Amino acid sequence: MSKDAHVGPPLWLLAELTYECPLHCAYCSNPTDLGKREDELTTEAWLDVLTQARELGSVQLGFSGGEPLLRKDLETLVEHGRQSGFYTNLITSGIGLTEKRIKQLKAAGLDHIQISFQAADPELNDAIAGRGKAFDQKLKMAEIVKSEGYPMVLNFVISRQNIEQIPQILELSCQLNADYVELATAQYYGWAFDNRDHLLPTQQQLRHAEATVNGFRDQQDNAGPQFIFVTPDYYEDRPKACMNGWASTFLTITPDGSALPCHSAKILPLDFPNVTEKTIADIWHKDFSFNHFRGESWMPQPCQSCDEKEKDFGGCRCQAFMLTGDMNRTDPVCSKSDDHHLITEAIEQAKNPTAPLKHRKRVADIALMKL
Amino acid sequence: MTHAPNVPKMNTLFRLQFEKAQGCFVLLYPEGMVKLNDSAAEILQQIDGLTSVDEIQHQLQQKFPQAGDIRDDIEEFLATAQAKRWISYV
């Protein structure tokens, strides 16, 4: 394909090892259909994925999920990733981590650990996570991660559930001596999309939170954690440059081996390839689904004639699909979109949620709880 | 002439390596990558937490005799690297 000439390597490889997770956060962006554990890729298949992607030029490797610690072969995969030259990132809830495992992972060559927190105190944290004692465990593990010499990133998904705690979150991050702290407002995919009315902060809450973070940053004097505040695109006039452009930089492999240009693309009406059936090079450079939204020729109006199309690439395909039912449309976040009213309606709707909050759980688990 | 702080060391957040696919040296850090130009890569490769700025200058001067006086370039780059927290001083 002629489009192919400009395609660089998938610099970022996200290995979603399992969708199993000990937490039940309502903001989770995993698919609401979590699949079956039996369908997960084998150790050998993952090793092969890492080798192939590295040869293609991938350099950042994220082990994610669900909770990647639930895979007993994590150390094996980390070791192979590191030896192949990847910068290896573990993205974890901290649940299931032990001092022994932190040391084993270090010995295997793990470069960095990112721990998620749900709030700055045990009560709220454990209520959001749907699991008792989660906060204490995270705290303990964060201390050991630092004492073992890892760079540590803390990730707080910010929503209406915890946005009033920003000052305490900033303080906790300093106490734990984090290197980077992501204050990322929830993105409305997967479970979070279903729970949007409960999660989306008001514009006033957001402005206040952002001002608090900026004020804190100003008095930091180039010391302590670096705070990164990510606002939700629902309050922007232009869409986010989703994944830096479709299949330009990111490659996600899901637990069952599906290859995706982003972690939520599986919802789209496109057939995505599987690493057990095709090579990574073929997937990245030749697959119909990966080429489908590359470049500009697919773009509808108003994107096609917009002078900002090279900045945001028409926004997020998943968001266009979830909100309008058509993945080919302009992201409704854009104020130029004919569908932009869907966003203003969503903001209005979130002021009075009608459906109950849905904690992330397996259907089988829910059935069990009803018994 | 020696003046403190004089011995730079890499911040453990960053890993320096050659990337074949990029055709250059890069600094890797949590979820990110910085591509380096040739002179930045040459200077960073000399940093080991033991070698002083004077010695780094001397070594690079020997390696690239045609480059002329490179002291200012080195100091300028090290100042940038320190501001970006790639390096600190022992």
Side-chain angles (χ1 to χ4, degrees):
Chain A
M1 238 180 214
S2 61
K3 289 174 183 173
D4 209 39
H6 313 287
V7 178
L11 290 176
W12 236 114
L13 177 67
L14 187 68
E16 294 187 325
L17 298 182
T18 178
Y19 283 143
E20 298 294 317
C21 186
L23 300 189
H24 305 288
C25 311
Y27 64 69
C28 185
S29 60
N30 277 171
T32 46
D33 176 4
L34 293 168
K36 291 197 226 93
R37 189 103 215 238
E38 307 87 84
D39 295 338
E40 286 182 6
L41 289 183
T42 61
T43 307
E44 289 66 36
W46 273 118
L47 292 173
D48 186 36
V49 164
L50 303 189
T51 305
Q52 287 187 55
R54 181 67 187 139
E55 278 168 9
L56 209 57
S58 294
V59 62
Q60 286 284 346
L61 170 60
F63 292 105
S64 171
E67 176 48 67
L69 289 166
L70 289 170
R71 287 280 300 217
K72 296 199 168 56
D73 54 2
L74 179 61
E75 283 81 349
T76 309
L77 302 180
V78 166
E79 187 170 24
H80 183 65
R82 181 65 179 84
Q83 282 175 1
S84 326
F86 276 109
Y87 190 90
T88 50
N89 306 273
L90 173 65
I91 299 159
T92 175
S93 68
I95 310 299
L97 210 50
T98 58
E99 182 166 5
K100 188 176 159 202
R101 210 141 183 221
I102 292 171
K103 288 184 169 159
Q104 279 173 3
L105 287 163
K106 186 89 188 169
L110 182 64
D111 287 291
H112 145 239
I113 298 183
Q114 178 191 119
I115 301 181
S116 69
F117 274 78
Q118 283 68 43
D121 67 56
E123 290 72 27
L124 185 59
N125 187 94
D126 297 355
I128 294 174
R131 185 186 176 96
K133 309 234 191 307
F135 183 79
D136 291 347
Q137 162 74 7
K138 286 163 186 280
L139 216 54
K140 224 181 284 166
M141 289 309 122
E143 281 162 7
I144 300 173
V145 164
K146 276 308 287 188
S147 69
E148 288 299 317
Y150 283 99
M152 181 171 75
V153 175
L154 300 182
N155 177 283
F156 292 84
V157 173
I158 303 298
S159 73
R160 209 186 311 149
Q161 296 177 304
N162 60 8
I163 196 164
E164 304 297 341
Q165 281 204 344
I166 294 283
Q168 294 90 320
I169 287 172
L170 298 172
E171 197 182 320
L172 175 66
S173 306
C174 293
Q175 259 173 40
L176 291 174
N177 211 1
D179 294 290
Y180 298 92
V181 182
E182 298 174 359
L183 305 163
T185 42
Q187 306 258 352
Y188 305 103
Y189 301 94
W191 297 83
F193 184 69
D194 290 357
N195 288 313
R196 188 179 61 190
D197 291 353
H198 295 272
L199 300 173
L200 185 66
T202 65
Q203 188 143 29
Q204 290 89 321
Q205 282 179 316
L206 261 174
R207 281 206 190 117
H208 186 66
E210 198 168 9
T212 308
V213 176
N214 288 341
F216 193 85
R217 220 185 263 131
D218 287 346
Q219 53 85 44
Q220 270 190 300
D221 199 25
N222 208 24
Q226 297 187 45
F227 291 98
I228 302 144
F229 191 82
V230 187
T231 55
D233 51 1
Y234 276 47
Y235 290 109
E236 306 284 348
D237 289 335
R238 292 289 175 270
K240 58 182 175 276
C242 198
M243 310 317 283
N244 195 35
W246 180 267
S248 79
T249 315
F250 290 87
L251 173 62
T252 298
I253 310 296
T254 69
D256 70 359
S258 298
L260 308 173
C262 81
H263 62 275
S264 63
K266 198 68 186 277
I267 61 166
L268 300 177
L270 275 173
D271 282 327
F272 288 101
N274 193 291
V275 295
T276 56
E277 288 159 7
K278 279 185 161 189
T279 66
I280 303 281
D282 271 356
I283 289 170
W284 185 253
H285 289 289
K286 294 188 184 150
D287 196 83
F288 176 83
S289 62
F290 277 69
N291 279 324
H292 198 58
F293 293 115
R294 277 184 174 140
E296 294 168 2
S297 55
W298 66 272
M299 285 183 185
Q301 291 296 4
C303 296
Q304 198 53 254
S305 51
C306 179
D307 59 5
E308 292 173 78
K309 64 183 168 188
E310 282 166 27
K311 278 192 216 157
D312 56 40
F313 316 105
C316 172
R317 296 302 86 226
C318 300
Q319 194 145 275
F321 178 70
M322 286 188 298
L323 295 177
T324 74
D326 181 354
M327 65 177 175
N328 300 297
R329 290 181 78 81
T330 295
D331 188 332
V333 159
C334 186
S335 63
K336 295 183 184 179
S337 156
D338 289 341
D339 303 310
H340 188 64
H341 63 95
L342 296 170
I343 297 289
T344 41
E345 283 160 22
I347 291 171
E348 207 47 42
Q349 162 79 28
K351 289 174 184 163
N352 297 296
T354 46
L357 184 74
K358 198 162 89 182
H359 277 274
R360 179 207 140 114
K361 281 193 177 71
R362 286 190 165 280
V363 178
D365 295 343
I366 295 169
L368 216 59
M369 280 164 38
K370 282 182 186 156
L371 284 173
Chain B
M1 200 181 99
T2 320
H3 48 82
N6 203 246
V7 179
K9 63 169 182 184
M10 287 299 294
N11 179 342
T12 53
L13 264 178
F14 297 90
R15 202 174 95 198
L16 177 70
Q17 78 179 29
F18 186 77
E19 269 302 284
K20 205 168 72 179
Q22 304 297 325
C24 66
F25 275 88
V26 298
L27 277 179
L28 300 172
Y29 58 99
E31 303 178 23
M33 175 174 86
V34 185
K35 290 194 211 178
L36 298 168
N37 62 29
D38 292 346
S39 52
E42 287 294 343
I43 298 168
L44 287 178
Q45 283 178 83
Q46 304 294 325
I47 294 177
D48 57 7
L50 300 167
T51 311
S52 71
V53 177
D54 290 346
E55 288 162 335
I56 288 172
Q57 180 194 353
H58 183 69
Q59 282 165 5
L60 290 176
Q61 208 90 64
Q62 293 216 308
K63 195 171 172 187
F64 303 101
Q66 76 288 4
D69 186 3
I70 53 175
R71 181 73 189 197
D72 286 354
D73 293 342
I74 293 176
E75 286 192 347
E76 193 184 325
F77 171 74
L78 290 177
T80 307
Q82 190 181 10
K84 291 182 183 292
R85 302 203 215 178
W86 298 344
I87 62 160
S88 60
Y89 287 89
V90 174

